């Protein structure tokens, strides 16, 4: 009797184990098939090049003017700066929308394979905190939708690799306010407007020319600047310089 009972349990456990192994095998077969799908080749392929992004952004930033960056400008910059056959990111393209999540499509090298990636993300700007927030609604590898916990782990790992990024409560934050120090002189650069529109991105920074003039003024009034100016032009000229800067170029 005991032997028969034991035999039945062995049979039940063997069938259960076989069913589990079969389910796992089917899952991985389906998973492998889904992630290898690539139905978005036309989405991540760059069709229009425009190399004027950096120059146009710098020109607008000198006076602090609003700058509309087109999808072609941004995608060309991303393709040039971050993509390549020997890199993790092979191709990337972003589509902007005013009222809906931005679309992101890419071809990446993942686990020894070149896979198609698609994502939908909300982009928000907090000028007080000086950050752009990116919240992914969905990420797919091929036709496989990644679970939310896996997406958060990837975003958290990404933030850990870059000093300008943090990840909190499901949102990836990218810092947009910077401060540079040259001795006793500081120079500030900050994003003051960031707004995705239909087909382009509207942004504006503080005036770089005003920041440069302010930094130059601070240096000329600092101890090092005073000493250098006096050595080059004399004490009388230095006093005149101080008068002009303090009374005609007030902050």
């Amino acid at each position: 009797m005991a032997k028969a009972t034991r035999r039945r349990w062995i049979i039940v456990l063997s069938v259960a184990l076989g069913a589990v192994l079969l389910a796992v095998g089917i899952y991985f077969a389906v998973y492998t098939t889904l992630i290898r799908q690539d139905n978005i080749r036309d989405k991540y392929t760059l069709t229009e090049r425009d190399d004027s992004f950096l120059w146009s952004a710098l020109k607008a930033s000198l006076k602090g003017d609003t700058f509309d960056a087109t999808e072609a400008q941004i995608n060309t910059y991303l393709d040039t700066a971050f993509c390549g056959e020997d890199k993790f990111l092979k191709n990337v393209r972003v589509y902007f929308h005013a009222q809906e999540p931005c679309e992101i499509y890419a071809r990446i090298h993942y686990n020894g394979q070149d896979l198609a990636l698609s994502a939908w993300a909300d982009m928000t700007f907090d000028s007080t905190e000086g950050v752009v927030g990116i919240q992914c609604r969905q990420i797919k590898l091929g036709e496989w939708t990644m679970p939310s916990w896996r997406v958060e782990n990837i975003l958290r790992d990404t933030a850990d690799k870059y000093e300008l990024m943090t990840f909190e409560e499901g949102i990836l934050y990218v810092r947009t306010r910077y401060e540079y120090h040259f001795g006793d002189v500081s120079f500030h650069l900050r994003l003051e407007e960031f707004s995705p529109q239909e087909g382009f991105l509207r942004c504006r920074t503080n005036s770089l020319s005003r920041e440069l003039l302010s930094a130059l003024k601070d240096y000329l009034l600092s101890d090092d600047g005073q000493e250098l100016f006096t050595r080059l032009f004399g004490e009388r000229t230095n006093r005149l310089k101080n008068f002009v800067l303090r009374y005609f170029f007030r902050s």
Side-chain angles (χ1 to χ4, degrees):
M1 187 72 175
K3 289 183 178 180
T5 302
R6 191 161 51 246
R7 187 178 297 113
R8 281 196 297 271
W9 275 111
I10 291 174
I11 293 173
V12 170
L13 290 174
S14 299
V15 172
L17 180 60
V20 170
L21 292 176
L22 179 62
V24 171
I26 293 174
Y27 171 81
F28 278 104
V30 172
Y31 163 78
T32 302
T33 300
L34 289 176
I35 66 171
R36 288 179 176 175
Q37 299 298 311
D38 186 358
N39 302 315
I40 60 169
R41 190 174 300 274
D42 59 324
K43 293 287 190 178
Y44 61 66
T45 302
L46 186 62
T47 56
E48 180 185 357
R49 298 195 67 88
D50 187 341
D51 296 306
S52 64
F53 173 71
L54 289 178
W55 168 247
S56 299
L58 177 60
K59 185 170 61 174
S61 298
L62 287 176
K63 295 191 297 182
D65 293 337
T66 300
F67 168 57
D68 291 340
T70 66
E71 287 177 348
Q73 288 177 315
I74 293 177
N75 288 318
T76 300
Y77 171 74
L78 293 175
D79 182 74
T80 303
F82 302 105
C83 299
E85 283 302 318
D86 59 340
K87 297 181 180 179
F88 166 75
L89 195 60
K90 307 290 185 178
N91 304 89
V92 65
R93 192 170 181 185
V94 182
Y95 299 84
F96 296 103
H97 303 288
Q99 303 299 329
E100 299 178 0
C102 297
E103 302 172 61
I104 304 170
Y105 300 96
R107 187 167 66 97
I108 64 173
H109 190 73
Y110 181 76
N111 283 349
Q113 304 178 75
D114 286 351
L115 303 175
L117 179 145
S118 54
W120 292 262
D122 292 314
M123 293 185 177
T124 57
F125 175 56
D126 188 334
S127 58
T128 302
E129 296 295 329
V131 292
V132 168
I134 303 174
Q135 184 173 22
C136 290
R137 292 193 179 186
Q138 188 183 75
I139 295 181
K140 294 172 65 176
L141 283 179
E143 292 300 315
W144 179 65
T145 301
M146 299 178 68
S148 58
W149 63 267
R150 186 70 176 274
V151 173
E152 290 195 0
N153 285 343
I154 291 175
L155 295 178
R156 187 177 292 108
D157 291 343
T158 301
D160 290 340
K161 293 177 182 177
Y162 297 96
E163 185 179 348
L164 301 179
M165 296 182 181
T166 56
F167 182 78
E168 298 178 7
E169 299 181 354
I171 302 177
L172 182 68
Y173 292 101
V174 182
R175 184 157 57 92
T176 62
R177 184 186 300 157
Y178 316 97
E179 184 173 352
Y180 304 93
H181 295 277
F182 305 95
D184 296 331
V185 180
S186 62
F187 173 78
H188 301 267
L189 175 63
R190 60 185 178 275
L191 191 63
E192 296 185 342
E193 183 178 352
F194 180 93
S195 176
Q197 302 295 321
E198 201 65 37
F200 66 93
L201 184 66
R202 177 162 294 163
C203 50
R204 177 171 55 86
T205 69
N206 58 320
S207 172
L208 296 185
S209 58
R210 186 176 301 166
E211 282 289 326
L212 289 171
L213 288 174
S214 178
L216 178 60
K217 171 192 169 185
D218 291 342
Y219 173 74
L220 291 175
L221 291 175
S222 68
D223 292 340
D224 290 342
Q226 300 269 22
E227 181 181 349
L228 176 63
F229 203 91
T230 300
R231 188 165 64 248
L232 293 176
F233 304 105
E235 180 61 33
R236 178 176 296 181
T237 306
N238 183 57
R239 287 198 297 269
L240 177 61
K241 176 263 296 179
N242 291 342
F243 174 80
V244 171
L245 291 178
R246 287 171 176 158
Y247 293 96
F248 291 92
F249 293 92
R250 297 177 182 177
S251 301

